[in-house]
Amino acid sequence: LMRIWFYGSPIIWSENIVSERWRWVLTANPMTYILSGYKNALLYDMAPNIPALCVIGLASLVAVLAMLWVYSEHEHRIIKVL
């Protein structure tokens, strides 16, 4: 799964080579925005896409808070299994 995600993210290739037909795959991949932000800042001296990064950050925060809530609700079961 990690290898598919690696090759599905624009790490070793440019997102400009993707045709319009397959552009939705890049749009759905959150790593595209993060990697493009790094590329733009380090290679091209451009600002990253701040709104997209804020959405990814907010979604990550919600996911972490949800996992903390699930863990706190089931902590006794998790400890018993371990």
Side-chain angles (χ1 to χ4, degrees):
L1 184 61
M2 292 298 289
R3 186 170 290 186
I4 292 170
W5 197 4
F6 175 78
Y7 288 113
S9 299
I11 296 173
I12 57 174
W13 50 271
S14 176
E15 60 265 8
N16 297 333
I17 64 171
V18 177
S19 67
E20 256 332 289
R21 179 180 173 201
W22 295 103
R23 186 69 60 170
W24 65 271
V25 175
L26 290 178
T27 305
N29 185 355
M31 286 302 293
T32 299
Y33 300 104
I34 295 170
L35 294 170
S36 294
Y38 276 110
K39 277 185 186 178
N40 288 340
L42 297 174
L43 297 177
Y44 307 119
D45 199 28
M46 295 171 46
N49 187 352
I50 299 297
L53 293 177
C54 287
V55 169
I56 293 169
L58 183 63
S60 299
L61 181 64
V62 168
V64 166
L65 292 175
M67 290 301 112
L68 285 173
W69 179 78
V70 168
Y71 178 76
S72 67
E73 290 292 317
H74 302 284
E75 182 178 8
H76 61 282
R77 292 184 200 161
I78 295 170
I79 292 173
K80 198 180 284 187
V81 170
L82 292 177

